[in-house]
C-alpha cells in the first residue's frame, strides 16, 4: 500500500501546508475519493481527497469541511494548480486541523494520483464505462460541447474522437506534421493544433476551422487528462507482456494439448462462443519499426475496438487476439466497429512504416485450437499481402514432365483430369477465398516434403496437414497413393499450362 510520501514523489505533488505534510508523509493511503461525487462525511480513513471544480460547492463551510476531514482521518487533500476555488480560509482551516494540502503540477491530473494509489485497479484496455478509452472519449466529448472544437487523440494504432464520425486521415497527417504546441503558450485562434502528450507518447489534435477562441486552461486540462488516460493504457501492458508472450508462443508452436491450454486461454478472457479477430503484422528485416512498438500499436487497436486483447511478437511477426464480441452478438456495440478500426490501424500506423504487412482472420472459438488456427491464418494473409506488394518475389514452379505436355494436347482427357482433381479445389478457393491450389503446387514442387512445404508457406505443419486432408475430401483422392499423386501432379501441370499462374496471387489465407 502506498504512503502519502510515495504519492508525493510519484506524482510530484507540491505541498501547500509544509508542516502538516511533513507529519503525514508515512501515513498509508487506502484509496482516493472526489468530493462532489461523494459527500464529505463519506470520506474514508486514509483517503486522498481530490477537490475538483464540482467539489467545492458540496464541501460547505471551510472550517466545517476541514473538521470533517480530520474526523474521518483523511490522508490529505489534493487540488488542481489552476483551481481558483482554493481559498485562504480553507487553507487556514486545514492547517489548524492538521490536514495537509497538496497541489498538482501543471502536467499532471487526478488520474495520475489514482494510478499511483491503485495502478492495477485503474488499468483496463477494454471499452467500458470506467476504462481509459471511455474516459478519453468522455473528455473529448465534454471539450467539444463546451468549446465547439473537435479533438482527437492519436495513439500508435488507433484514433479516438468524439463526436463519432469518419476520421479525415489526410487532415490528421497534416495536423500531426505541425510543430507541437507548448501547453503554456496555446495560440488563441489556431485552425489546427497538435499537442504532444509526453507521458503516453500519444498526440492530441484539435480541429478548429471556424477559429473559435481556444481557452488555454480548458485545452491544458484536456491534454493532461488525455495523457494520463493514454498512459494508463500502457501501464498494465508492461506487467502482462511476459504472460502474453508465453501464450502467443505456445499457441503458435502448438506443443501443448488444447485440454491444457483452454484454462490458460480462459484466464485471459477468451471463452467458447467468443468472436475473435486475429491480426498478424510481419516486420521486414529492414523495417524502421521495432517489434515492441508494433505490439503496442496492436494493443491500441484492441483497446479501442475490442474487449480482451492479447498481443506479442514471435519470430519477427507481431500478433494480436482481439475479442470483438460473442457468437450471439451479430451487431457490435457502439465504438467497436472492428473493420473501421482495423482500416484506421492500416492508415495511421502500417502505412507510415516501411516493410510492414498486415493480415487478419475472424472466427468464433470453441477451444484454444481455434486461436492457433486464427493466428496462423492471419500470418498467412500477411505473408501473401507482403508478396503481392513485392513484385520481384519468385514463385516456386512445377517442373513439367513430358507426359503432361503430351496430355495437354488431348483436350478431352486433360479436361477430364482437371475437372476431377483441380476444379473442386479451385471452386473451394473461389468460394472461401483460400489458397489450396497454391499449397498443392508448393507441396509437389518440394517433392511432397511436408516440413519444407510448411516452412516455404510460413505455416505450421498441422495447418499443412489440415489443408491436404481438405483437398483429399474435396477430390475423393488420396495424397499418400503414388497413383493419385501422379494424377494430381499431371492435373496441376496441365492446369498451369492452360491457365497460367494467375491463381497463385491470392492474398488471403483460410
Amino acid at each position: 500500500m502506498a504512503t502519502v510520501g510515495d504519492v508525493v514523489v510519484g506524482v510530484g505533488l507540491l505541498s501547500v501546508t509544509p508542516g502538516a505534510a511533513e507529519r503525514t508523509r508515512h501515513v498509508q493511503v487506502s484509496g482516493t475519493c472526489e468530493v462532489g461525487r461523494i459527500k464529505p462525511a463519506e470520506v474514508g480513513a486514509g483517503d486522498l481527497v481530490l477537490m475538483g471544480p464540482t467539489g467545492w460547492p458540496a464541501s460547505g463551510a471551510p472550517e466545517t469541511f476541514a473538521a470533517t476531514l480530520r474526523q474521518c482521518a483523511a490522508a490529505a487533500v489534493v487540488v488542481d494548480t489552476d483551481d481558483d476555488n482554493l481559498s485562504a480560509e480553507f487553507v487556514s482551516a486545514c492547517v489548524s486541523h492538521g490536514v495537509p494540502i497538496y497541489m498538482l503540477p501543471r502536467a499532471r491530473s487526478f488520474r495520475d494520483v489514482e494510478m499511483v494509489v491503485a495502478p492495477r485497479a485503474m488499468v483496463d484496455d477494454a471499452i467500458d464505462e470506467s476504462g481509459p478509452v471511455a474516459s478519453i472519449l468522455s473528455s473529448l466529448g465534454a471539450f467539444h460541447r463546451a468549446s465547439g472544437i473537435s479533438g482527437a487523440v492519436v495513439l500508435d494504432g488507433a484514433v479516438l474522437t468524439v463526436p463519432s464520425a469518419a476520421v479525415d486521415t489526410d487532415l490528421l497527417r497534416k495536423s500531426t506534421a505541425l510543430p507541437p504546441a507548448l501547453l503554456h503558450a496555446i495560440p488563441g485562434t489556431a485552425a489546427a493544433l497538435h499537442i504532444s502528450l509526453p507521458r503516453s507518447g500519444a498526440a492530441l489534435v484539435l480541429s478548429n476551422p471556424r477559429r473559435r477562441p481556444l481557452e488555454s486552461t480548458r485545452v491544458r486540462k484536456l491534454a493532461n487528462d488525455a495523457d494520463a488516460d493514454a498512459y494508463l493504457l500502457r501501464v498494465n501492458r508492461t506487467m502482462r507482456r511476459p504472460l502474453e508472450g508465453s501464450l502467443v508462443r505456445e499457441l503458435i508452436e502448438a506443443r501443448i494439448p488444447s485440454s491444457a491450454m483452454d484454462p490458460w486461454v480462459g484466464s485471459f478472457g477468451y471463452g467458447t462462443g467468443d468472436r475473435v479477430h486475429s491480426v498478424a503484422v510481419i516486420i521486414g528485416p529492414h523495417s524502421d519499426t521495432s517489434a515492441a512498438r508494433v505490439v503496442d500499436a496492436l494493443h491500441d487497436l484492441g483497446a479501442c475496438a475490442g474487449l480482451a486483447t492479447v498481443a506479442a511478437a514471435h519470430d519477427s511477426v507481431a500478433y494480436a487476439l482481439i475479442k470483438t464480441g460473442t457468437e450471439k452478438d451479430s451487431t457490435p456495440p457502439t465504438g467497436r466497429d472492428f473493420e473501421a478500426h482495423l482500416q484506421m490501424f492500416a492508415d495511421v500506423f502500417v502505412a507510415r512504416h516501411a516493410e510492414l504487412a498486415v493480415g487478419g482472420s475472424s472466427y468464433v472459438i470453441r477451444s484454444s485450437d481455434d486461436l492457433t488456427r486464427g493466428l496462423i491464418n492471419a500470418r498467412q494473409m500477411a505473408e501473401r499481402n507482403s508478396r503481392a506488394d513485392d513484385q520481384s518475389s519468385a514463385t516456386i514452379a512445377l517442373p513439367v514432365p513430358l507426359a503432361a505436355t503430351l496430355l495437354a494436347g488431348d483436350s478431352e482427357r486433360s479436361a477430364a483430369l482437371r475437372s476431377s482433381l483441380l476444379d473442386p479445389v479451385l471452386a473451394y478457393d473461389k468460394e472461401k477465398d483460400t489458397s489450396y491450389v497454391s499449397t498443392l503446387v508448393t507441396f509437389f514442387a518440394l517433392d511432397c516434403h511436408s516440413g519444407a512445404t510448411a516452412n516455404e508457406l510460413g505455416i505450421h505443419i498441422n495447418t499443412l496437414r489440415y489443408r491436404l486432408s481438405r483437398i483429399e475430401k474435396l477430390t475423393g483422392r488420396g495424397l499418400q497413393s503414388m497413383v493419385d499423386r501422379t494424377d494430381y501432379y499431371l492435373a496441376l501441370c496441365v492446369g498451369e499450362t492452360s491457365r497460367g499462374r494467375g491463381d497463385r496471387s491470392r492474398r488471403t489465407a483460410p
Side-chain angles (χ1 to χ4, degrees):
M1 186 179 294
T3 65
V4 173
D6 293 333
V7 180
V8 170
V9 174
V11 184
L13 297 178
L14 309 173
S15 174
V16 179
T17 56
E22 189 60 35
R23 290 193 300 271
T24 57
R25 288 183 66 86
H26 299 292
V27 172
Q28 290 189 329
V29 178
S30 58
T32 61
C33 61
E34 189 168 348
V35 176
R37 295 184 179 180
I38 67 167
K39 298 177 181 178
E42 295 174 343
V43 175
D47 278 353
L48 283 179
V49 181
L50 309 177
M51 293 300 298
T54 61
W56 295 107
S59 64
E63 177 64 30
T64 303
F65 183 33
T68 300
L69 295 179
R70 176 64 176 176
Q71 184 178 1
C72 294
V77 175
V78 181
V79 299
D80 197 328
T81 303
D82 297 319
D83 194 341
D84 297 330
N85 294 307
L86 178 63
S87 65
E89 291 79 9
F90 178 68
V91 174
S92 177
C94 284
V95 169
S96 65
H97 287 282
V99 179
I101 302 175
Y102 291 96
M103 191 171 285
L104 284 168
R106 286 189 182 277
R108 297 303 179 94
S109 69
F110 288 150
R111 289 197 170 272
D112 294 298
V113 177
E114 293 170 333
M115 187 187 67
V116 173
V117 173
R120 291 178 183 270
M122 289 299 300
V123 174
D124 185 3
D125 274 7
I127 298 179
D128 59 30
E129 295 181 355
S130 60
V133 170
S135 183
I136 291 173
L137 294 174
S138 176
S139 297
L140 290 170
F143 181 83
H144 178 75
R145 289 190 297 271
S147 65
I149 299 170
S150 299
V153 173
V154 184
L155 307 172
D156 256 344
V159 176
L160 293 170
T161 184
V162 168
S164 297
V167 178
D168 187 336
T169 53
D170 288 335
L171 178 61
L172 210 59
R173 290 192 188 98
K174 292 176 182 177
S175 299
T176 51
L178 295 172
L182 300 176
L183 282 179
H184 66 269
I186 300 296
T189 57
L193 200 63
H194 167 213
I195 299 171
S196 179
L197 305 180
R199 298 189 68 203
S200 63
L204 172 64
V205 174
L206 300 182
S207 177
N208 185 23
R210 297 185 180 180
R211 295 187 177 272
R212 292 185 169 97
L214 288 165
E215 299 179 35
S216 58
T217 300
R218 198 185 301 277
V219 173
R220 282 201 301 269
K221 176 171 173 47
L222 174 62
N224 290 334
D225 289 347
D227 195 17
D229 287 320
Y231 181 69
L232 285 178
L233 287 174
R234 283 158 169 62
V235 171
N236 200 34
R237 298 173 191 176
T238 303
M239 297 183 286
R240 296 195 314 234
R241 188 170 293 140
L243 293 175
E244 293 185 5
S246 298
L247 178 66
V248 168
R249 182 181 65 250
E250 293 302 336
L251 287 172
I252 291 293
E253 296 180 354
R255 298 178 300 181
I256 300 177
S258 62
S259 58
M261 285 292 296
D262 287 348
W264 190 15
V265 166
S267 70
F268 283 85
Y270 302 91
T272 300
D274 285 339
R275 290 187 179 276
V276 176
H277 199 108
S278 294
V279 181
V281 180
I282 296 176
I283 306 166
H286 304 295
S287 175
D288 58 355
T289 311
S290 67
R293 187 171 183 189
V294 178
V295 169
D296 272 340
L298 286 170
H299 265 298
D300 290 336
L301 168 63
C304 298
L307 297 169
T309 301
V310 166
H314 182 67
D315 289 342
S316 299
V317 182
Y319 297 95
L321 295 168
I322 301 170
K323 188 168 78 173
T324 57
T326 66
E327 187 175 15
K328 297 179 181 179
D329 297 332
S330 57
T331 304
T334 302
R336 293 183 189 158
D337 183 353
F338 185 80
E339 292 303 324
H341 284 290
L342 186 59
Q343 184 60 52
M344 185 57 60
F345 172 78
D347 290 341
V348 304
F349 184 75
V350 176
R352 294 185 306 180
H353 300 280
E355 292 200 15
L356 295 183
V358 63
S361 175
S362 186
Y363 48 93
V364 174
I365 64 173
R366 304 298 176 198
S367 72
S368 59
D369 287 341
D370 295 308
L371 296 179
T372 295
R373 283 191 288 269
L375 289 173
I376 293 171
N377 291 343
R379 183 183 64 200
Q380 292 166 2
M381 270 187 66
E383 287 171 344
R384 297 192 188 288
N385 290 339
S386 177
R387 288 171 184 158
D389 292 336
D390 182 6
Q391 300 298 324
S392 64
S393 58
T395 303
I396 293 183
L398 282 175
V400 180
L402 178 61
T405 304
L406 296 174
L407 184 60
D410 189 332
S411 59
E412 184 177 346
R413 287 186 172 83
S414 61
L417 187 63
R418 288 198 308 273
S419 65
S420 63
L421 288 174
L422 204 55
D423 287 352
V425 186
L426 286 169
Y428 187 86
D429 276 350
K430 183 177 181 180
E431 178 186 357
K432 302 295 185 180
D433 202 18
T434 56
S435 54
Y436 285 2
V437 169
S438 177
T439 298
L440 197 59
V441 169
T442 305
F443 180 67
F444 279 107
L446 295 175
D447 297 325
C448 301
H449 191 290
S450 297
T453 303
N455 287 336
E456 172 63 25
L457 295 175
I459 62 177
H460 193 276
I461 195 168
N462 289 341
T463 302
L464 175 63
R465 290 168 181 160
Y466 172 81
R467 290 187 186 182
L468 297 179
S469 68
R470 172 60 67 180
I471 291 170
E472 290 177 329
K473 290 179 181 178
L474 290 170
T475 60
R477 304 285 290 274
L479 283 163
Q480 303 304 315
S481 163
M482 181 58 70
V483 173
D484 286 346
R485 280 190 179 185
T486 301
D487 285 347
Y488 274 116
Y489 194 96
L490 290 173
L492 288 169
C493 290
V494 170
E496 290 299 308
T497 301
S498 304
R499 296 182 297 105
R501 302 186 182 275
D503 289 312
R504 295 187 200 171
S505 62
R506 293 188 179 275
R507 300 178 61 176
T508 307

